[in-house]
Amino acid sequence: MSDADPVKGRTKTRAAGSGAAKTAKAPSKPRPAPAAKPPSSGGKAKAAAPATAKAKKAAARPKTPPPETAPRAEASPHPAAGFGAAPAASPELTAEQRQLIESLSANLARAALTAQGAIAEAALRQADRPAALSPDPFRVAPALTEVMGKLASQPDRLVRAQADLLSRYMDLWQSTARRMAGATPSPVAQPQKGDKRFLDADWSANPVFDVMKQSYLLTSDWLQSLVGGVEGVDALTKRRVEFFMKLLTDAFAPTNFLASNPTALREVMATGGESLVRGMENFAADLARGGGQLAISQTDYEQFRIGENVATAPGKVVFQNEILQLIQYAPTTDQVFEIPLVIFPPWINKFYILDLRPDNSMIRWLTDQGITVFVASWVNPDVSLAGKTFEDYLRQGIYEATDVVMKQAGVDRVNAVGYCIGGTLLSAALAHMAAKGDKRIASATFFAAQQDFSEAGDLLLFTDEAWLKDLEQRMDAEGGVLSGQAMADTFNVLRSNDLIWSFFVNNYLMGKEPRPFDLLFWNSDQTRMPKALHLFYLRKFYGENALAKGELELDGVKLDLGKVKTPVYIQSSKEDHIAPVGSVYKGARLFGGPVTFTLAGSGHIAGVINAPAARKYQHWTCDKLPATLPEWQADAKETPGSWWPHWFAWLERHSGGKVAARDPAKGPFAPIEDAPGSYVKVKS
């Protein structure tokens, strides 16, 4: 395992000044385009500038606080250069215009050469690698063949569909003709609410771009409807094709191409082509960072340091074993509740999503309420841990950690939290403890965690047996672990417009650096997966839904969630695409004891990490747990803001009386090191 930084800084030479600025000066000779350098034969990317240049550049940047949102499509930054403006009537080019054209031509050549060199270098790197294990990693071809076969067997339906598409285009052409004649017809097709790709005013104000936009929306919607309406096909097969069609139509959006993106074109003209040069330098740097595979930067990784400006809550590592470090956080009150809280985050990510900044840190908020907080910081496993199993994580994770917490706090019970797959593990542990009569967990809380995987969202598409066999071969080729980048790619694909294409446009077409954003820094800091653990999890939970069916056996014990009488609090998020609310609700009804179910606004991360001080979103609560989610929603009460206070009121009832605050440095377990510990700093 390595403690190296997750991402090497971009080391590239920026063109001095922008073309736009130069047009205001007296004409001068354009910079000649440099000759293309042959790619190195060593198979390693070369930095375009010394590391010291990058350091100087970073030092020169103004320090700005991390923004709260990912990059968005920008409104027109240069209204004077709008595409609706009438051309100048001058019969000859002015000196300023000639200078702009010369600068633009030179920079376009530089951009092309930069891209060419980067692609050649990447090709050399890939040449040393074995061929891809599967030419169809999403297993789309068989599903697509089946769906298209069904369509071909229904010629009348195809004819109706084609007639429908032609009718939509006729409406668009007529609308465009009326607009050109001076009318203001309503759009035939509009982006869905929340679609940020078409925010630039020219997508509506300019007739050419407006037609591009509406044509794209009509066609993509038609394709989705065509596939979605197919009958007589297995539901999962059709869903796989729908997912692929969504990926395809997202990729071919006009916003993703320079020639059809008005914002990017305007930037090219305003900077004399400098934006495209910067974009291709960004492209080359991302190819180098990915070792020949494109690893699109989502944020400025150099702005964040674990333990310095993220994961800064004070505490001590009081225990560690092969798979985790256990952190006890320093109290912020004179007295604390008797029963401590131990949190088990997902091992697929780092724990510091719970402690990004002081103002949104759940860990700090809990300590401020008088809770003694322990957090499991999972190891980032290397090949030496490839054989670690789900049972190992049960024993060395849940059991050993709770043993230590009870001894450190001097109690015989703990409250526990499981987030995402950490919650799935905690659920299995509760059933295991129930079978053995172990009552160490006084209450359990689950954040965005699933027990029933029958409605587990699009991740189900990645868990059929053929796909798992390919995955197993890939992990074998990597020594028995799955790379963190592979995990990141999978989750990025689930939200490609937000996590892939928005950065593609921002970084490469616009030539901008990604903004510093702590959440995206954490999102990119993925961990490796041990083969035995990961394949068991995917097969038994996603593939077989064994826990929900009562068929899962661990350590010789058959698990039955119905025997779990521990009080349970379950949080879900309305827009969660990883643990959909319907799936989480079905799991909530499997427990045999009292269950409190809460629905929060937003998604898998923002729905959970929503500090009360932010005053964002809302949550819904209901004392009942009826048979279906719609019945629960019909009786649920909506409350503005964070769900944390509602959870704390529940947690307080299960936390006992008050005792003197516990100093992490003075317990039975001597501190090993300061929080956040060393495990969290190991990079994939």
Side-chain angles (χ1 to χ4, degrees), residues 13 54 149 164 198-199 229-230 247 250 258 283 308 351 384 527 535 543 548 579 594 603 630 652 674 677:
T13 303
K54 175 62 180 177
D164 175 57
F198 301 100
L199 295 180
V230 174
L247 287 181
D250 286 350
L258 178 63
F283 173 74
E308 296 180 17
F351 81 87
S384 68
T527 60
L535 291 178
E652 186 177 16
D674 289 336

Side-chain angles (χ1 to χ4, degrees), residues 600-619:
S602 195
H604 192 70
I605 302 302
V608 176
I609 308 304
N610 180 24
R615 299 182 179 179
K616 293 177 66 175
Y617 310 126
Q618 68 283 102
H619 63 280

Side-chain angles (χ1 to χ4, degrees), residues 407-439:
K407 292 175 183 176
Q408 182 78 346
V411 295
D412 61 358
R413 294 171 297 160
V414 301
N415 292 320
V417 172
Y419 190 172
C420 190
I421 56 178
T424 304
L425 176 65
L426 179 60
S427 301
L430 287 174
H432 192 269
M433 292 174 182
K436 297 173 65 175
D438 189 325
K439 298 182 179 180

Side-chain angles (χ1 to χ4, degrees), residues 7 14 38 125 133 139 155 294 300 390 399 447 559 581 672:
V7 179
R14 295 295 193 208
R125 290 186 172 209
L133 295 172
R139 294 287 167 185
L294 188 61
D300 185 348
F390 197 84
Y399 274 101
F447 302 160
L559 304 186
V581 56
I672 297 172

Side-chain angles (χ1 to χ4, degrees), residues 276-347:
L276 200 56
V277 174
R278 293 195 300 266
M280 291 307 96
E281 289 173 346
N282 289 344
F283 173 74
D286 284 347
L287 271 177
R289 185 169 62 90
Q293 294 180 323
L294 188 61
I296 301 177
S297 298
Q298 296 179 335
T299 187
D300 185 348
Y301 302 105
E302 295 183 350
Q303 296 296 314
F304 302 99
R305 293 288 183 272
I306 296 173
E308 296 180 17
N309 57 4
V310 293
T312 58
K316 303 289 184 183
V317 174
V318 296
F319 172 79
Q320 71 181 42
N321 58 26
E322 288 181 295
I323 65 170
L324 64 76
Q325 286 189 320
L326 188 65
I327 304 170
Q328 180 182 354
Y329 285 92
T332 57
T333 57
D334 293 335
Q335 290 190 314
V336 295
F337 287 95
E338 178 189 7
I339 300 177
L341 180 72
V342 56
I343 303 176
F344 297 98
W347 56 81

Side-chain angles (χ1 to χ4, degrees), residues 452-466:
D452 187 316
F453 287 74
S454 58
E455 298 181 16
D458 286 335
L459 280 175
L460 280 172
L461 303 177
F462 298 90
T463 55
D464 71 307
E465 194 55 35

Side-chain angles (χ1 to χ4, degrees), residues 480-619:
V481 295
L482 184 64
S483 71
Q485 186 59 50
M487 296 305 306
D489 290 344
T490 300
F491 285 106
N492 287 344
V493 161
L494 297 178
R495 294 178 55 201
S496 61
N497 278 334
D498 290 334
L499 297 177
I500 297 176
W501 296 115
S502 65
F503 297 100
F504 182 92
V505 172
N506 180 79
N507 301 2
Y508 307 151
L509 301 189
M510 298 291 293
K512 297 182 180 295
E513 295 287 347
R515 302 172 183 177
F517 187 23
D518 53 7
L519 179 58
L520 289 175
F521 170 76
W522 167 86
N523 186 63
S524 69
D525 193 8
Q526 301 279 346
T527 60
R528 293 177 288 265
M529 293 293 105
K531 174 184 171 181
L533 168 70
H534 197 51
L535 291 178
F536 179 92
Y537 173 71
L538 293 177
R539 282 196 170 103
K540 291 297 182 181
F541 293 94
Y542 277 95
E544 301 174 17
N545 199 21
L547 179 61
K549 294 177 180 178
E551 299 172 357
L552 186 66
E553 185 174 308
L554 291 178
D555 201 25
V557 176
K558 185 69 74 70
L559 304 186
D560 182 358
L561 290 175
K563 295 181 179 179
V564 176
K565 306 303 181 182
T566 305
V568 168
Y569 186 102
I570 294 181
Q571 178 273 344
S572 184
S573 297
K574 186 178 181 181
E575 300 168 13
D576 195 333
H577 64 292
I578 304 295
V581 56
S583 179
V584 176
Y585 190 82
K586 291 183 72 172
R589 289 183 48 79
L590 296 175
F591 291 97
V595 176
T596 299
F597 183 85
T598 297
L599 177 62
S602 195
H604 192 70
I605 302 302
V608 176
I609 308 304
N610 180 24
R615 299 182 179 179
K616 293 177 66 175
Y617 310 126
Q618 68 283 102
H619 63 280

